[in-house]
Amino acid sequence: MAKINPAALRQHYRQRRRSLTEQEQQQASCRVRQRCEELPQYQRAQRIALYLANDGELDPTPLIQACWEQGKEVFLPVLHPFCAGYLLFVAYRPDSTMAANRFGIAEPPIHCHTLCPLNQLDLIFAPLVAFDHNGNRMGMGGGFYDRTLKPIHRDHLSTQVLGLAHDCQRADLLPVQPWDIPLHGIVTPGGIFTP
Ligand SMILES: Nc1nc2c(c(=O)[nH]1)N(C=O)[C@@H](CNc1ccc(C(=O)N[C@@H](CCC(=O)O)C(=O)O)cc1)CN2
Ligand SMILES: Nc1ncnc2c1ncn2[C@@H]1O[C@H](COP(=O)(O)OP(=O)(O)OP(=O)(O)O)[C@@H](O)[C@H]1O
């Protein structure tokens, strides 16, 4: 098999998710919310990290609403102000005042009392560009999630990491890099994939 260039692969799957219609996006978001609500990992979780959709990503807005309605705390990834390449997880509430980061993605303000350390998050729903049946994740190429989530495996944390994606983001087999952090599962409108 010909060696696939990861940059070309990333462009291919970004193009796929961007070409979904508004209606397909909304339907996908609602199906994924329903699937997530059936997961024991979700039902047990009190502190959950999500994200705000960008570039055609599966939009978790209905799931964020569900968390709020069910009294779960929601956190969003915020670019670390001092440690380049790392993320902080910051509380997101209906009244959070948001500001766009350098990629144009809205972030809540960082305060000591709104920060959640990794070991206190029960569940992280991660965005992705492509995934495979082994739970490998290809992201936007910044290495933000890989760097930030490294302690989960190193320190045997109980934090679960699930990818959220459209079905068209499923790849046969992704190239694996030594730093890649595998997902515990991936939720799509069509199903739940566990490696
Ligand atoms: N919704 C969402 N939030 C997230 C991530 C993500 O993948 N999705 N991230 C996951 O790591 C972090 C941000 N990483 C990102 C990396 C690149 C681009 C991006 O759009 N890159 C453009 C170039 C934009 C520019 O340089 O101005 C591109 O490649 O076209 C966006 C987010 C934290 N927040
Ligand atoms: N744990 C780490 N320590 C140091 N560098 C890392 C680490 N993880 C990733 N990187 C660097 O980040 C770069 C991007 O990695 P990769 O392409 O896997 O990102 P990604 O998972 O697609 O992005 P993201 O997590 O931001 O969505 C790599 O070139 C790698 O050098």
Side-chain angles (χ1 to χ4, degrees):
M1 196 172 71
K3 201 166 165 21
I4 307 158
N5 169 2
L9 211 55
R10 182 173 281 118
Q11 284 309 321
H12 173 76
Y13 285 99
R14 283 183 62 176
Q15 179 57 43
R16 273 191 167 191
R17 67 183 190 184
R18 273 201 304 265
S19 60
L20 296 168
T21 64
E22 189 57 39
Q23 197 192 352
E24 286 169 329
Q25 284 283 358
Q26 283 181 17
Q27 199 171 52
S29 292
C30 291
R31 293 220 171 112
V32 162
R33 169 190 169 151
Q34 286 166 355
R35 289 203 185 277
C36 289
E37 287 190 88
E38 289 165 9
L39 288 174
Q41 289 116 307
Y42 172 81
Q43 292 166 1
R44 288 196 293 267
Q46 180 55 34
R47 296 197 179 103
I48 304 182
L50 277 134
Y51 59 88
L52 297 185
N54 175 52
D55 191 55
E57 288 167 342
L58 188 289
D59 183 356
T61 301
L63 186 54
I64 292 174
Q65 285 293 341
C67 289
W68 284 340
E69 285 162 19
Q70 293 155 18
K72 299 177 189 288
E73 286 182 82
V74 176
F75 298 86
L76 293 181
V78 171
L79 303 182
H80 200 297
F82 321 121
C83 300
Y86 286 82
L87 301 171
L88 292 170
F89 291 101
V90 180
Y92 178 46
R93 307 201 177 100
D95 62 350
S96 297
T97 38
M98 309 294 280
N101 66 21
R102 64 184 155 96
F103 300 113
I105 303 172
E107 296 179 341
I110 303 171
H111 298 295
C112 298
H113 64 280
T114 59
L115 278 176
C116 188
L118 194 58
N119 64 6
Q120 288 180 32
L121 281 173
D122 302 308
L123 177 57
I124 297 173
F125 286 112
L128 55 83
V129 171
F131 68 95
D132 70 16
H133 65 270
N134 291 326
N136 293 311
R137 166 184 181 276
M138 172 179 272
M140 289 294 278
F144 291 97
Y145 276 89
D146 291 329
R147 281 191 203 87
T148 307
L149 304 187
K150 197 173 170 187
I152 293 181
H153 297 266
R154 191 193 59 205
D155 304 341
H156 309 288
L157 303 183
S158 57
T159 311
Q160 291 281 300
V161 188
L162 299 176
L164 295 184
H166 298 286
D167 288 287
C168 64
Q169 292 174 264
R170 185 177 183 182
D172 272 349
L173 209 53
L174 288 173
V176 186
Q177 313 291 350
W179 54 81
D180 280 341
I181 304 291
L183 300 164
H184 295 108
I186 300 98
V187 184
T188 70
I192 295 168
F193 300 85
T194 42

